[in-house]
Structure formats: structure tokens, C-alpha cells
């Protein structure tokens, strides 16, 4: 297909529209994973029960600033609001009509709005300023994934084979993320069941970026795949498998770093406690042994001094 300036102008907004949400999902995943590991090691050190949450406060602030720690949800809400505004302006502005499709931008705006509502509920739930029942944040997060799943599932009519396949893999990831959200809510006291949601956040973000690079890369010299060739579908599926492995690797790296920062303190303190207990037991044993020796010496002296009556 011949590359021209009109195609570049058409690709740029779509490229940005996939890249920015992808970066946002990766950021949320990284931040949430760090906070989960921090809570896990902190709970273990204090011998308390782990309790997951849908939103994650700033883990580098002290407990004295608890009222301002939910800045993460505020930032998320602000970015999503700006995303809605950008989609509406770029989709319905008059001089852009020949380059963009207003319906597509409206669908993207609906997705941003759903996730923005979820962030708003996170803010209310954390500060306790609402009458929302327990689990409302997870329910709204599940609803956001539901909106995204339905809109993208019917977003693919009239697309090329490769375009449809790339977005289908994205839909699978969204569905699995919804399942992970339900599972985390059910097992909020189990650390291991809180990681899948962050894993699929990361996978969704990296795949959005990969989709942008394959379909909408505005660079003239960028390599491209034939969008109507079955071999391109197999290659893109191979890419997706690589993204799954990369998301696992990211979780392992984050877990290792968090262990070095938070987990080793607990291990070191445990070793110190065991060492102190061992030393104390040795000292007690030495004192008892010394006491027994003194008692035996006194008894021996008494027996030696004892003279039977004639």
C-alpha cells in the first residue's frame, strides 16, 4: 500500500490514542504491584492479615499523611477526564472529520468515562465519605471492564484480518482482567490472588502499544505486516505470547526488588530474634550449670566435714 501524507495524518491520532492508554495501564500495573508487595511484606513483618484494595495509595508517604495518600486515584481520574475531552474534541471538531471517525472517538470516550467513574469511587471509598457498600470499588472496576469489553467486541466490523485479530487478543485480555477483579474481591485476604489483576493491566497496556506500533505507526520507514495475510496473524500471536512472558518477568522483577527493599528487613529481624533467643538460652544454661556445680561442691564439702558420732 502506497504511503502518503493523508495516511500519516490519519494514523497519528490513532497511534496516540492507543499509546497513551497503554502507558497508563502499564503505570497503574507497576504502581499497584509495588504497593501490593509492600503491603504483603509489611503484613508479614507485623504478623497481620493481608487485605487487598482496589485503589492503591502512595506507598512512599508516611501514615501521618493518610488523608492525602489517595492521590493515585485523583491523578487517574484527572488523566481519564482529559482523555475524554481529547477524544471528543478530536472526534467531533469540524476540520478533522475527513481524518477521524466520530463514532470511534465516542466509544473511546465511553471507555475513559467508565474507568474515570471507577477512579472516582476509589476516592470516595478510601476516604469513607460516601454511603457506598463494601466492594463498590471492585464493582465499578468490573463495570469499566464490561463497558470496554462490549464496545471493543463490536468495534471490529469492517476491519482487516490483522486489525480484527489484534483487537480480539485485546478483548481476551480485558475479559481475563474482569475475572481477575472478581477473584481478587472474593479472596482479598490472599496476596497471590491480587497479582493477576496487575498482571493483566500490564499485558493490556503493552499490547495496546504493540497494536499501535503494528497498525498505526506514522513513521514512513517503519516495518509493517500485511493486514490481510494469515501469516501476519500467526506472527502477531507470537508477539502476544512474548508479551505474556514479559508481563510475568515484570512481576518477578518487581517482586524481587520489593523483597530486597521490604522483605529482607523482616528476615533480618527474624534472624536477630532467633540469635538473641539462642544466646539467652545458652546464658541460662551456663548459669544453671554453674549453679549445679556450686551445689555439688558444697555437698561434697559437707560430706567431707561430716564426722559420725562415736
Amino acid at each position: 500500500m502506497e504511503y502518503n501524507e493523508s495516511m500519516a495524518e490519519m494514523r497519528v491520532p490513532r497511534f496516540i490514542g492507543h499509546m497513551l492508554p497503554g502507558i497508563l495501564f502499564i503505570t497503574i500495573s507497576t504502581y499497584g504491584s509495588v504497593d501490593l508487595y509492600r503491603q504483603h511484606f509489611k503484613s508479614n513483618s507485623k504478623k497481620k492479615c493481608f487485605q487487598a484494595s482496589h485503589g492503591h495509595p502512595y506507598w512512599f508517604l508516611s501514615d501521618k499523611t493518610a488523608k492525602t495518600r489517595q492521590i493515585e486515584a485523583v491523578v487517574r481520574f484527572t488523566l481519564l477526564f482529559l482523555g475524554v475531552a481529547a477524544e471528543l474534541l478530536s472526534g467531533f471538531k469540524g476540520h478533522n472529520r475527513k481524518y477521524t471517525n466520530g463514532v470511534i472517538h465516542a466509544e473511546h470516550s465511553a471507555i475513559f468515562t467508565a474507568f474515570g467513574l471507577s477512579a472516582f469511587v476509589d476516592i470516595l471509598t478510601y476516604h469513607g465519605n460516601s454511603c457506598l457498600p463494601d466492594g463498590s470499588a471492585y464493582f465499578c472496576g468490573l463495570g469499566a471492564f464490561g463497558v470496554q469489553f462490549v464496545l471493543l467486541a463490536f468495534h471490529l466490523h469492517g476491519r482487516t484480518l490483522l486489525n480484527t485479530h489484534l483487537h480480539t487478543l485485546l478483548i481476551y485480555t480485558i475479559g481475563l482482567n474482569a475475572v481477575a477483579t472478581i477473584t481478587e474481591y472474593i479472596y482479598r485476604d490472599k496476596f497471590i490472588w491480587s497479582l493477576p489483576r496487575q498482571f493483566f493491566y500490564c499485558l493490556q497496556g503493552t499490547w495496546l502499544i504493540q497494536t499501535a506500533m503494528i497498525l498505526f505507526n506514522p513513521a514512513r520507514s517503519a516495518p509493517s505486516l500485511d493486514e490481510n495475510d494469515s501469516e501476519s496473524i500467526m506472527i502477531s500471536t507470537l508477539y502476544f505470547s512474548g508479551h505474556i512472558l514479559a508481563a510475568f518477568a515484570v512481576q518477578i522483577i518487581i517482586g524481587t526488588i520489593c523483597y530486597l527493599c521490604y522483605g529482607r528487613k523482616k528476615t533480618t529481624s527474624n534472624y536477630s530474634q532467633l540469635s538473641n533467643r539462642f544466646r539467652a538460652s545458652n546464658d541460662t544454661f551456663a548459669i544453671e550449670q554453674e549453679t549445679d556445680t556450686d551445689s555439688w561442691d558444697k555437698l561434697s564439702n559437707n560430706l567431707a566435714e561430716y564426722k559420725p558420732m562415736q
Side-chain angles (χ1 to χ4, degrees):
M1 183 180 295
E2 184 179 356
Y3 190 92
N4 51 51
E5 295 300 328
S6 63
M7 289 178 60
E9 292 180 0
M10 182 175 60
R11 286 187 173 193
V12 168
R14 295 183 180 181
F15 179 79
I16 296 174
H18 284 73
M19 288 290 292
L20 293 182
I23 294 173
L24 179 61
F25 276 119
I26 293 174
T27 303
I28 293 173
S29 171
T30 304
Y31 181 83
S33 298
V34 172
D35 187 60
L36 283 174
Y37 279 106
R38 182 192 67 85
Q39 292 184 36
H40 171 62
F41 291 125
K42 187 176 179 180
S43 300
N44 285 347
S45 63
K46 295 184 177 182
K47 297 182 179 180
K48 294 182 178 179
C49 181
F50 171 82
Q51 190 71 16
S53 61
H54 188 265
H56 299 279
Y58 271 1
W59 43 266
F60 52 81
L61 296 179
S62 62
D63 293 335
K64 295 181 181 180
T65 57
K67 291 184 178 180
T68 60
R69 286 174 63 185
Q70 196 60 356
I71 304 176
E72 178 263 346
V74 175
V75 173
R76 184 157 36 104
F77 176 80
T78 304
L79 292 176
L80 291 167
F81 175 79
L82 294 176
V84 172
E87 289 287 348
L88 292 177
L89 290 175
S90 61
F92 294 103
K93 198 171 181 178
H95 68 274
N96 280 340
R97 282 188 179 276
K98 68 177 182 178
Y99 301 134
T100 59
N101 187 334
V103 176
I104 294 177
H105 287 280
E107 291 180 346
H108 292 170
S109 298
I111 295 173
F112 288 153
T113 302
F115 281 100
L117 178 61
S118 175
F120 183 69
V121 172
D122 280 338
I123 298 172
L124 295 180
T125 303
Y126 183 81
H127 288 287
N129 295 328
S130 67
C131 57
L132 297 175
D134 180 53
S136 297
Y138 284 97
F139 179 79
C140 289
L142 180 63
F145 285 122
V147 171
Q148 188 182 23
F149 184 91
V150 171
L151 288 178
L152 289 182
F154 297 97
H155 186 72
L156 306 177
H157 296 293
R159 304 297 183 93
T160 61
L161 290 177
L162 182 60
N163 193 321
T164 302
H165 183 67
L166 294 176
H167 285 85
T168 300
L169 293 176
L170 180 62
I171 291 170
Y172 292 161
T173 306
I174 296 169
L176 291 173
N177 210 338
V179 173
T181 301
I182 299 174
T183 306
E184 181 180 346
Y185 171 70
I186 297 173
Y187 301 103
R188 277 183 289 180
D189 57 338
K190 304 294 183 182
F191 167 70
I192 192 64
W193 291 110
S194 299
L195 292 178
R197 183 165 65 96
Q198 307 305 324
F199 169 81
F200 288 117
Y201 265 135
C202 180
L203 181 60
Q204 186 173 344
T206 58
W207 192 243
L208 276 170
I209 294 175
Q210 183 70 70
T211 301
M213 297 297 294
I214 293 176
L215 296 178
F216 310 117
N217 196 332
R220 187 183 295 271
S221 58
S224 60
L225 297 175
D226 188 349
E227 296 190 19
N228 292 301
D229 187 6
S230 59
E231 185 176 353
S232 298
I233 295 177
M234 291 186 290
I235 293 174
S236 61
T237 306
L238 184 62
Y239 289 165
F240 186 72
S241 302
H243 281 261
I244 294 175
L245 297 176
F248 273 116
V250 168
Q251 289 296 320
I252 294 173
I253 293 172
I254 292 176
T256 303
I257 294 174
C258 290
Y259 171 76
L260 296 176
C261 295
Y262 303 108
R264 291 183 65 181
K265 297 179 181 179
K266 173 182 178 296
T267 305
T268 303
S269 63
N270 286 344
Y271 284 147
S272 299
Q273 292 175 4
L274 290 175
S275 178
N276 292 335
R277 291 177 182 176
F278 181 74
R279 291 175 183 174
S281 62
N282 285 341
D283 293 340
T284 303
F285 177 76
I287 293 172
E288 292 177 352
Q289 187 177 16
E290 183 179 356
T291 303
D292 293 341
T293 303
D294 293 342
S295 300
W296 178 256
D297 292 340
K298 290 180 181 179
L299 180 60
S300 299
N301 293 334
N302 291 334
L303 291 175
E305 294 176 357
Y306 174 73
K307 295 180 180 181
M309 294 181 64
Q310 298 296 333

